[in-house]
Amino acid sequence: MSFPRVLGTELIKLKRCKVTWISWIAYSFIVLVCGLFMWIMKDPETAGRLGLIGQKARFSVGAQTASWSTLMAMLEQTSGVGGMIVLSVIVTYIFGREYAEGMGKYMLSLPLRRSVIVIAKLTTALAWFGVLCLSLVAEGLLIGAALGLEGFSWALFAASALRILFTSGLFTALAPAVAWVAVGSGGYLAPLGYSIFTLVLGTVFGATDWAPYCPWSIVPLLSGVAGPGSAQLRTGSALVLCATFLVGAFGVIAHLASADNAQ
Amino acid sequence: MVKPPETTSTVIRTRGLGKSYGRVRAVESVSLDVRQGEIYGFLGRNGAGKTTTIRMLLGLARPTEGEIELFGRPLRRARLELLGRVGCLVEGAAAYPNLTVRENLELQRRLTASPRRSVEDTLRLLGLEAYADRRAGRLSFGNRQRLSLARALLHSPELIILDEPANALDPAGIVEIRELLRTLADEEGVTIFMSSHILAEVAQLADRIGIIHRGRLVEELDYESFRRKGRRFIELGVDDPVAAEALLRARLGFADIVRDDAGGLRVADVDADAGAIAKEVVLAGIRLHRLLQVQEDLEEHFMRLTGGES
């Protein structure tokens, strides 16, 4: 079985890798920002004196109260967009680095099935992203406790944490297409551009009736970042996500297996 | 063309191999044979098609025509099994910069399912022990080249395909690698297919040479005999080269005659004798105004075959 061997080497490749830390810092930043908002809501007068909120923000902050349910709802929404960006960066790095570091040709001239290479890389990306999501939930718990927010219950926390993990898991469907762009273009730039483009596409379609059928709108819709639209999601949405995953996965495998792999 | 003897097994065999990128024909009808245990120098100018050929041999580019066989089996059908017997250095040295030299080799060891001790053995073989714990991103170009060579050799391949192996190495490093490759070929029967545009490097190492020019394999020669005897030919200037060529073919039985643009003839048959040629030409009433016996070295031979122009 070559899969465990390839997966093992993919994990070794992350050793001393700055991008792992950068992605963790970026994802933790979401928690810090949510925590900062909670603190502002909790004590708007001090925040106002420190110049942290203007009149406009004071108005919107005044409409909400600092509590565990607000913090977790905020984490769900921000991770709904942040997760899409962070996972794209991870996938871009894992696939694109082979070309950027001149190792693509060596990887592909190994006696390994190219589908195994793709699956091992995607597994690594998803495992890495999974760790970040768990870390986000844990940091949310820590920051909520540190701020002394009211209304905590394990049931509320667990339900919200599961929603975060579930919506983050749905991003898996979008990852192979990013990998396809990375191997097709042989580097970092095109997949990052593609990710930004799909983020914009998801936002634009999120405001239309087509949102439940646009793969990049479905997860933000579910996380609530695109408004309370999860009710709009239909069986077709699940099929669209499955199809997006399959097209991306077959695309990247077929590209590596059959095309000229220029560096 | 030099035909490989039937007694030795052929490790690389291509027939009518070609590769086009759109309208550009990068490689055209390349048929070559590389025997087991020999060092085959693949010579060509920049852009001649060397790297494209190597990419096809490694399954990195799909041929648009022709067949490739490694170890007597079609690469297309047995890629995984065949590539396990091949080590390569292609299009320059590379390594994962965040990993140390040892970790880079450890990756290769795991991916090729090689024994544990192979990492330390290869570090020693390539003189990289002192750099074993240094990150690859902090290596000099020369040592990065050594690391790439180490990765190519780690799993003890039976065939090593090297694209410009001497790049970035210092003179002592070049000698060391040359001796290492010679030993691998002579003592362990490893076959080495090596591309280069540095003639001196190939001249000192290769057993046979293939010269590729504008995508076509223009000559395969047994460099061992070329090195011993040199390439000798006779050049003559006559007023009627067409008649002179026909005469020499018919009367003296020469086969290797080339007419040049300046109206001269070049007779490269091994047994060509200047006296006999002069006699036949003069007796036939053809005016002979130049007769030269030329001894070519590899550089002159290469320049002549590839046209000499830049």
Side-chain angles (χ1 to χ4, degrees):
Chain A
M1 271 298 283
S2 53
F3 178 73
R5 271 192 289 138
V6 182
L7 184 62
T9 58
E10 285 301 323
L11 295 173
I12 292 174
K13 284 183 200 172
L14 298 182
K15 216 169 168 183
R16 280 182 233 101
C17 191
K18 285 181 191 148
V19 183
T20 47
W21 293 107
I22 291 169
S23 67
W24 179 73
I25 290 167
Y27 226 40
S28 300
F29 188 68
I30 291 176
V31 186
L32 281 178
V33 170
C34 292
L36 179 69
F37 274 115
M38 286 302 109
W39 179 73
I40 290 171
M41 283 177 204
K42 211 177 159 201
D43 192 356
E45 294 310 315
T46 312
R49 271 203 306 281
L50 291 170
L52 283 169
I53 47 170
Q55 287 304 317
K56 234 188 225 172
R58 197 184 294 265
F59 181 73
S60 70
V61 162
Q64 297 182 57
T65 54
S67 67
W68 274 98
S69 62
T70 315
L71 172 69
M72 295 312 285
M74 206 176 259
L75 279 177
E76 282 176 44
Q77 288 181 18
T78 43
S79 66
V81 176
M84 195 163 156
I85 298 167
V86 168
L87 181 59
S88 293
V89 169
I90 291 171
V91 172
T92 296
Y93 177 70
I94 286 180
F95 282 86
R97 72 177 294 192
E98 301 293 348
Y99 298 90
E101 291 169 1
M103 292 300 288
K105 62 213 171 197
Y106 293 111
M107 176 183 78
L108 297 172
S109 58
L110 285 164
L112 298 169
R113 278 187 199 288
R114 288 166 184 178
S115 55
V116 169
I117 295 173
V118 172
I119 295 168
K121 282 186 174 295
L122 282 175
T123 306
T124 308
L126 297 176
W128 175 353
F129 184 58
V131 170
L132 290 184
C133 293
L134 289 173
S135 146
L136 177 110
V137 169
E139 287 165 15
L141 184 66
L142 283 177
I143 215 145
L147 288 170
L149 297 177
E150 289 174 2
F152 178 81
S153 77
W154 282 109
L156 169 93
F157 177 76
S160 191
L162 281 176
R163 272 198 298 277
I164 289 172
L165 296 177
F166 177 67
T167 49
S168 300
L170 291 182
F171 284 131
T172 306
L174 311 178
V178 180
W180 188 4
V181 178
V183 300
S185 65
Y188 296 130
L189 210 56
L192 288 177
Y194 165 83
S195 304
I196 293 167
F197 173 70
T198 54
L199 194 70
V200 172
L201 211 63
T203 311
V204 170
F205 277 97
T208 69
D209 286 345
W210 291 0
Y213 303 106
C214 172
W216 304 283
S217 303
I218 294 170
V219 187
L221 214 60
L222 202 65
S223 69
V225 74
S230 58
Q232 294 177 42
L233 296 173
R234 300 165 190 139
T235 318
S237 307
L239 291 176
V240 167
L241 284 181
C242 287
T244 310
F245 177 83
L246 290 175
V247 168
F250 282 116
V252 66
I253 290 170
H255 183 91
L256 287 184
S258 62
D260 289 335
N261 293 288
Q263 189 95 48
Chain B
M1 297 261 176
V2 178
K3 277 200 165 181
E6 298 298 322
T7 47
T8 50
S9 60
T10 301
V11 173
I12 301 176
R13 178 193 293 264
T14 71
R15 288 293 173 264
L17 190 64
K19 177 73 188 171
S20 300
Y21 295 99
R23 286 182 177 180
V24 178
R25 300 203 77 181
V27 172
E28 207 175 335
S29 303
V30 168
S31 298
L32 53 83
D33 295 271
V34 181
R35 302 183 297 242
Q36 190 202 340
E38 78 174 354
I39 299 180
Y40 188 100
F42 197 44
L43 275 179
R45 296 176 158 218
N46 293 331
K50 302 187 295 291
T51 302
T52 305
T53 306
I54 284 181
R55 295 180 71 84
M56 288 191 280
L57 292 177
L58 291 168
L60 295 171
R62 180 174 277 219
T64 35
E65 60 200 36
E67 290 293 325
I68 298 171
E69 280 183 13
L70 298 182
F71 306 101
R73 298 181 62 192
L75 179 64
R76 212 158 28 90
R77 286 193 216 129
R79 189 182 70 87
L80 294 187
E81 193 195 316
L82 295 174
L83 288 182
R85 300 163 73 180
V86 179
C88 68
L89 189 165
V90 56
E91 288 176 279
Y96 294 106
N98 56 315
L99 301 182
T100 64
V101 169
R102 185 179 273 116
E103 286 163 347
N104 267 285
L105 293 179
E106 177 61 19
L107 288 188
Q108 182 76 357
R109 185 192 76 74
R110 288 178 183 226
L111 292 170
T112 54
S114 302
R116 271 183 197 283
R117 60 177 176 74
S118 59
V119 171
E120 295 306 319
D121 289 350
T122 314
L123 282 170
R124 235 184 336 269
L125 190 69
L126 270 296
L128 282 167
E129 299 125 299
Y131 305 97
D133 296 314
R134 187 177 292 186
R135 287 191 208 180
R138 293 181 185 165
L139 290 176
S140 65
F141 282 123
N143 281 328
R144 212 174 299 164
Q145 183 79 356
R146 276 173 189 267
L147 172 56
S148 295
L149 280 166
R151 204 176 38 232
L153 302 179
L154 184 130
H155 56 295
S156 307
E158 295 161 65
L159 166 65
I160 302 172
I161 296 178
L162 304 171
D163 191 9
E164 310 282 0
N167 270 0
L169 292 176
D170 60 27
I174 292 175
V175 173
E176 200 183 314
I177 298 302
R178 189 193 303 146
E179 283 170 1
L180 172 64
L181 296 178
R182 191 74 261 172
T183 306
L184 286 172
D186 291 346
E187 294 177 11
E188 296 178 32
V190 174
T191 308
I192 295 164
F193 183 87
M194 182 181 86
S195 92
S196 184
H197 62 272
I198 305 170
L199 296 173
E201 177 194 332
V202 174
Q204 294 196 49
L205 196 57
D207 299 317
R208 281 199 311 133
I209 288 176
I211 297 177
I212 188 167
H213 184 54
R214 293 182 178 154
R216 284 182 167 272
L217 188 69
V218 290
E219 186 172 34
E220 255 187 321
L221 56 96
D222 186 335
Y223 191 57
E224 196 46 45
S225 68
F226 184 92
R227 196 157 29 202
R228 271 201 310 273
K229 294 187 288 187
R231 175 87 166 174
R232 194 180 67 88
F233 56 85
I234 292 163
E235 253 182 25
L236 58 157
V238 288
D239 61 353
D240 187 351
V242 177
E245 183 184 346
L247 177 81
L248 294 177
R249 285 187 192 278
R251 300 277 299 171
L252 297 176
F254 295 150
D256 196 354
I257 304 178
V258 179
R259 250 183 286 151
D260 64 32
D261 298 338
L265 288 178
R266 186 187 294 263
V267 184
D269 285 71
V270 179
D271 55 350
D273 171 55
I277 289 172
K279 186 179 161 195
E280 286 297 334
V281 169
V282 172
L283 283 177
I286 299 169
R287 196 168 159 220
L288 175 70
H289 50 79
R290 181 163 50 94
L291 187 70
L292 282 173
Q293 188 155 308
V294 181
Q295 192 89 11
E296 246 183 357
D297 63 13
L298 181 61
E299 185 174 294
E300 288 161 339
H301 186 68
F302 176 80
M303 293 304 281
R304 182 168 60 78
L305 278 179
T306 59
E309 82 278 18
S310 58

